[in-house]
Amino acid sequence: MLLFASVAASAQTVPPPQRPFSQLVELWGRQLDRIASRTEQADLLPVEIDGLREQTTDVRTAAMAAAAFARNDLADTKKLLAPLELKPGTDAPPETDAVKADRERLTEQATIAESRVKQCEVVIARADQLLERLTKVRGQLVLQTLLHRDPSLLSPSVWHKIGPQFLTSVKVLTSAMANWSREGFLTLSSGSPELVPLGLWAALTIVLWWVGRALRRRFGRGGTHIDARHDQTIISAIDGLGLVLVPVLAVWLIGKLLLASNPPAPIDALIPEAVGRLILLLLVFGMTAAGLSPARPEWRVLPLSDDSAQYLSRALRRLYSISLPLEFAYIALSRGEGREAVAAVGAVVLTSVVAVLSLPALSNRAWQAARPEGSELPPMIGGTWWAVARLLLILAVLSSIVCALIGYATLGAHLHTAISTTCLLIAIAFLLHKLAADLLEAAAAPGSPSGIFVRRTFGLPADSTLRGQYLVLLVFDAALVLLLAVAIPAAWSVDTDAMIDGLGQLVRGVKVGGVTISLGNVGMAIVAFFVCMLLARLTRSVVRDRVMPTVDAPMPLRQSIDAGLNYAGVMIAILVGIGALGVDFTNLAIVLGALSVGIGLGLQNIANNVISGVILLVERPIKAGDWVTVSGHEGFVRRINIRATEIETFQRTHVIVPNSMFLQNPVINRTYSDTSSRIEIKLTVPLATDVDAMEAILREAALGHARVLRIPPPIVRFVKVGTDGLEFELFVFVARLEDRLIVTNDLNRAILAKLIDQKIINPAAVPEFKVRGLDRVNFSLHADPSPEARESFTDRPGDAPAAS
């Protein structure tokens, strides 16, 4: 082992191996041969398999360190050898004997280093095969142990053997206890090395007892600095830890002290079992007192009713108080050869007692929720999923009795142990999650010292809401899930070493083709991507809010620059993330070339729109704020995104138009090069109207409006003499396109008022008045006025004659 450690350390300090490489390879081969021969034997135990796997891992680690050293040596040798290589086709002078000798020496050294690398790779491959074999053998051994069938309780031979085997087990235990009581504690003299750390732990236990007592008095239930409304879970945790932490440490300390006295078999194996179960019992009592709080409902963490909290607390305490000592007695009496009858009877008794004691804790009465009247929440804690889970747990507990009855004593005892351990682990994880959430919430509160410090540090208002605690809670929950992913399979006798090795391999990296994918690289890629995105957003905000206001640029150009910076930042962040992931861009180009076929087939529309969006941003045929008409949709361009463009119509509705529509269809852009626009007003007046007066009226109305441009001047056209009357056209120009509607409306009103005022038309006799479109107005007089209207119209002086 020291040899392996020295070789492993050489990977960091890079010194030459202490032994010749050939001896190391031979030693590794002998070690792997011995381990391989041992794995072929049938009397392996799980503990021995774990030891063999550790030895194989040491050999593999040493071989990997030696391979790394050889690779470094090979790289250095090739660097020295490169200038000495003969270059064909050059007129170099003939080499000297010294150069030739150096080249031959370095070539031989490179060959030796390369050979060492290959030998180490062979050793590593063989060690990997042995580790896989040991993992498989251990799984098979555990499965065989669980499925080993002892004599059934229904067999008469069991009852014939139960008495002698029970007496033998008791005799072995009493004899070991007697020997241990006479000689065990004599080994703990004043100079024993075990007493020093045990004394330190004892002093730490006393200090923790004093600290816990002070915390309970100050911050626990009934303390002087409490706020039950906000810190309920925290106070319950402090109170619960104060109750059980010191007893747990005391029990652990006593167990270490007993083990230090070198107890004989089987006492040496029973002491850790007893200590573990006693600690588990203390944890259950502390959790029920802190979380359920049957006597003080105001401190209850779980929203249980008073009756359910008391019922569940009594059921859990009764279950663990009876099952744990009974389980310990089963292990103590049934361990050893020739005790099949004791194991069979003990398994049935244990599983039956556990099943009977577990049913109250899984009943509906134990999980009634405390709900206010009229609440729509389910009346049971956990709702339907927990009800189904409790039903499955009841079936599993009852199945352990069946397993014990038909002879599978180990499987029956293992079932209830694994189930209770799993439930306890999940309960602890849930309480830790709630405790962490309440701690973070209390730390982020505006009135807490930590909340005040954070707000003062970042310059935030005193009453602002902090959001960072949710990210911390997410990381904490991920760590809890990871721990449960290891602890729960371990409770079910799954090979956790293989799981940890697989996780370590995943962290170190799995090579897929020419790319090594590891959790570290993935994490670095994610961090690099988000950092680049943060920098891109910071750059965008600086350019948008500080740089662009100082530049005399129109708003559409500013929006285009902002969108371009957004796309560029996203692309750079993606490329940096891919680079941090360890992907070669040459290989990436090949992959993208292969993906282009799929893009051309399945994603061609999306790719077309994305490329069209880039073209729109570069060529700028349309800009934000333009008045456009495309595919029957007319309105103002509000934003050009990477895939589609947002158009706001005159009805205040938003139309999302794919970018490809602007390149594939004709587009009317009324503000492409100039925001000015022409307004056309067409009207028809009676045939008897004076043409010069009519032209004067139209020109006066146009020039009387403040938003009508003088250059170019308004244009009045006498179009033709029609059957319905004289047709005129008025063309005016406005500086802004958005003024079209206002100016058109104002001109129509002004012209109509002047026509009525000049008695060119009579509003009482006009049978039809039409407004066509947004850019023109027609006044039509299609019928003669009534006689009364004509008479009143012509009797006034200066009136024009009525149209015939």
Side-chain angles (χ1 to χ4, degrees):
M1 299 295 290
L2 294 177
L3 173 64
F4 299 151
S6 64
V7 176
S10 67
Q12 299 178 356
T13 59
V14 199
Q18 298 295 328
R19 286 190 179 185
F21 184 78
S22 59
Q23 294 184 9
L24 286 175
V25 174
E26 184 180 358
L27 176 61
W28 294 337
R30 289 199 303 266
Q31 287 279 2
L32 296 180
D33 290 338
R34 182 184 62 81
I35 295 172
S37 62
R38 181 58 181 152
T39 56
E40 301 295 334
Q41 300 178 7
D43 57 343
L44 279 174
L45 296 176
V47 177
E48 188 176 1
I49 292 176
D50 294 338
L52 294 176
R53 187 158 49 189
E54 183 178 356
Q55 296 177 14
T56 307
T57 304
D58 292 338
V59 173
R60 187 182 185 278
T61 304
M64 289 182 64
F69 180 80
R71 288 191 186 95
N72 294 334
D73 190 13
L74 179 60
D76 295 339
T77 304
K78 286 184 176 180
K79 290 180 181 179
L80 297 175
L81 187 60
L84 302 179
E85 293 289 344
L86 292 177
K87 299 179 180 180
T90 60
D91 298 333
E95 61 180 2
T96 62
D97 293 338
V99 173
K100 184 177 180 180
D102 288 341
R103 187 178 68 252
E104 292 177 353
R105 178 179 58 82
L106 292 175
T107 303
E108 182 180 0
Q109 185 175 349
T111 304
I112 294 174
E114 189 174 359
S115 175
R116 289 181 176 180
V117 170
K118 292 181 179 179
Q119 291 179 5
C120 291
E121 289 177 351
V122 171
V123 173
I124 293 172
R126 190 180 177 192
D128 290 337
Q129 292 177 356
L130 274 178
L131 288 174
E132 185 178 355
R133 170 66 180 167
L134 288 170
T135 301
K136 184 177 180 180
V137 169
R138 192 184 187 282
Q140 293 176 353
L141 183 61
V142 171
L143 187 61
Q144 290 176 1
T145 303
L146 292 177
L147 298 181
H148 175 69
R149 187 172 184 180
D150 296 320
S152 174
L153 186 64
L154 304 178
S155 175
S157 60
V158 172
W159 299 102
H160 290 299
K161 297 178 182 178
I162 181 64
Q165 290 183 3
F166 180 77
L167 294 177
T168 302
S169 300
V170 174
K171 184 177 179 180
V172 170
L173 290 176
T174 54
S175 177
M177 289 291 295
N179 295 332
W180 183 38
S181 62
R182 289 194 302 268
E183 302 176 359
F185 288 96
L186 296 179
T187 59
L188 290 176
S189 61
S190 60
S192 298
E194 293 87 355
L195 292 180
V196 177
L198 291 177
L200 294 177
W201 277 108
L204 178 62
T205 302
I206 296 174
V207 172
L208 289 177
W209 171 79
W210 181 82
V211 172
R213 186 166 175 265
L215 288 176
R216 289 183 62 195
R217 286 184 175 181
R218 186 174 179 85
F219 299 102
R221 300 173 182 175
T224 58
H225 292 71
I226 61 172
D227 185 0
R229 183 178 55 184
H230 299 292
D231 305 333
Q232 183 179 20
T233 307
I234 303 173
I235 296 169
S236 299
I238 292 174
D239 199 70
L241 286 176
L243 287 174
V244 302
L245 180 60
V246 173
V248 165
L249 288 177
V251 170
W252 180 84
L253 183 63
I254 293 172
K256 287 294 183 181
L257 183 64
L258 295 178
L259 288 176
S261 63
N262 297 322
I267 304 298
D268 56 347
L270 294 179
I271 289 177
E273 298 284 350
V275 170
R277 280 158 178 78
L278 190 54
I279 290 176
L280 186 61
L281 183 61
L282 291 174
L283 288 177
V284 170
F285 271 78
M287 290 174 61
T288 54
L292 299 179
S293 187
R296 304 180 67 179
E298 66 274 9
W299 296 106
R300 189 170 301 145
V301 176
L302 296 177
L304 291 171
S305 62
D306 295 343
D307 180 69
S308 294
Q310 296 175 4
Y311 187 79
L312 182 59
S313 177
R314 288 195 301 265
L316 290 175
R317 293 184 179 185
R318 183 169 56 247
L319 170 63
Y320 282 91
S321 299
I322 298 176
S323 64
L324 292 179
L326 188 61
E327 184 180 355
F328 175 76
Y330 169 77
I331 294 174
L333 296 175
S334 63
R335 179 169 294 180
E337 297 181 357
R339 302 181 185 177
E340 296 83 2
V342 175
V345 176
V348 173
V349 174
L350 178 62
T351 54
S352 301
V353 171
V354 170
V356 172
L357 296 177
S358 299
L359 292 179
L362 298 175
S363 63
N364 290 336
R365 181 182 175 184
W367 297 97
Q368 294 288 338
R371 306 295 189 196
E373 294 185 1
S375 176
E376 297 181 357
L377 296 174
M380 305 295 295
I381 294 292
T384 305
W385 70 269
W386 179 230
V388 175
R390 286 188 285 117
L391 179 60
L392 295 177
L393 288 175
I394 292 173
L395 295 178
V397 170
L398 295 178
S399 65
S400 64
I401 302 177
V402 178
C403 293
L405 284 174
I406 61 178
Y408 294 100
T410 306
L411 179 60
H414 176 72
L415 274 177
H416 82 80
T417 303
I419 290 173
S420 60
T421 305
T422 301
C423 294
L424 184 62
L425 288 174
I426 294 176
I428 292 175
F430 172 76
L431 292 178
L432 288 177
H433 160 77
K434 190 168 180 58
L435 175 62
D438 289 351
L439 280 173
L440 292 172
E441 194 69 27
S448 63
S450 58
I452 296 174
F453 172 76
V454 171
R455 288 170 176 83
R456 185 181 302 166
T457 302
F458 291 96
L460 300 175
D463 57 347
S464 61
T465 302
L466 299 180
R467 301 294 183 184
Q469 67 269 20
Y470 300 110
L471 181 60
V472 178
L473 183 61
L474 180 63
V475 175
F476 181 78
D477 289 342
L480 278 181
V481 172
L482 186 61
L483 292 176
L484 287 178
V486 177
I488 291 178
W492 290 87
S493 298
V494 178
D495 191 1
T496 55
D497 292 336
M499 294 177 56
I500 295 176
D501 291 341
L503 182 60
Q505 181 67 25
L506 187 62
V507 172
R508 291 190 298 270
V510 178
K511 193 170 184 180
V512 180
V515 180
T516 301
I517 299 177
S518 64
L519 290 180
N521 292 341
V522 172
M524 288 299 298
I526 294 175
V527 171
F529 175 79
F530 281 107
V531 168
C532 290
M533 288 295 297
L534 181 62
L535 293 177
R537 289 191 175 185
L538 180 62
T539 304
R540 285 182 59 197
S541 63
V542 170
V543 172
R544 182 180 62 245
D545 301 333
R546 297 186 180 182
V547 177
M548 296 306 297
T550 62
V551 179
D552 188 12
M555 183 57 67
L557 179 60
R558 298 183 186 181
Q559 293 181 352
S560 298
I561 293 175
D562 183 67
L565 289 176
N566 183 24
Y567 301 147
V570 172
M571 293 300 299
I572 292 174
I574 292 175
L575 293 177
V576 171
I578 294 175
L581 192 60
V583 178
D584 189 2
F585 285 98
T586 304
N587 299 330
L588 181 63
I590 297 175
V591 173
L592 291 178
L595 288 177
S596 62
V597 179
I599 293 175
L601 295 177
L603 303 178
Q604 55 182 349
N605 291 332
I606 297 178
N608 186 17
N609 290 322
V610 171
I611 296 174
S612 300
V614 175
I615 294 175
L616 291 178
L617 289 175
V618 174
E619 293 187 355
R620 303 185 70 204
I622 61 172
K623 307 177 295 296
D626 284 354
W627 183 348
V628 299
T629 303
V630 57
S631 299
H633 303 289
E634 185 174 7
F636 293 98
V637 176
R638 292 307 180 195
R639 184 173 296 275
I640 303 175
N641 297 316
I642 191 64
R643 189 196 64 85
T645 298
E646 179 182 346
I647 296 178
E648 182 180 355
T649 65
F650 302 112
Q651 290 77 24
R652 294 294 182 179
T653 59
H654 293 263
V655 181
I656 309 300
V657 181
N659 290 330
S660 60
M661 301 292 292
F662 292 91
L663 301 182
Q664 297 173 0
N665 300 311
V667 179
I668 299 176
N669 191 344
R670 300 181 184 273
T671 56
Y672 177 69
S673 59
D674 190 4
T675 59
S676 63
S677 179
R678 190 179 75 172
I679 300 175
E680 302 174 4
I681 299 178
K682 296 181 179 181
L683 66 158
T684 303
V685 295
L687 291 172
T689 304
D690 187 358
V691 175
D692 294 335
M694 187 64 195
E695 290 179 349
I697 289 172
L698 295 178
R699 189 173 291 106
E700 182 182 356
L703 294 176
H705 201 287
R707 298 189 183 185
V708 174
L709 296 178
R710 272 54 178 174
I711 300 176
I715 299 174
V716 178
R717 291 180 57 197
F718 178 27
V719 180
K720 67 177 180 178
V721 179
T723 58
D724 294 334
L726 305 181
E727 295 184 5
F728 290 86
E729 287 183 348
L730 173 63
F731 302 103
V732 296
F733 297 89
V734 291
R736 296 186 306 172
L737 187 66
E738 54 267 26
D739 293 340
R740 289 172 54 89
L741 297 178
I742 298 176
V743 174
T744 301
N745 183 72
D746 293 345
L747 290 179
N748 288 333
R749 295 172 63 92
I751 293 172
L752 178 61
K754 289 180 180 295
L755 290 177
I756 295 175
D757 183 64
Q758 297 296 329
K759 306 217 175 20
I760 296 177
I761 63 173
N762 183 5
V766 176
E768 183 178 0
F769 176 71
K770 296 181 180 179
V771 178
R772 301 175 183 176
L774 297 176
D775 57 350
R776 63 182 183 179
V777 174
N778 292 347
F779 294 99
S780 300
L781 189 60
H782 296 291
D784 292 338
S786 62
E788 295 80 8
R790 184 184 304 153
E791 180 179 358
S792 62
F793 207 67
T794 56
D795 288 343
R796 297 176 185 177
D799 287 346
S804 59

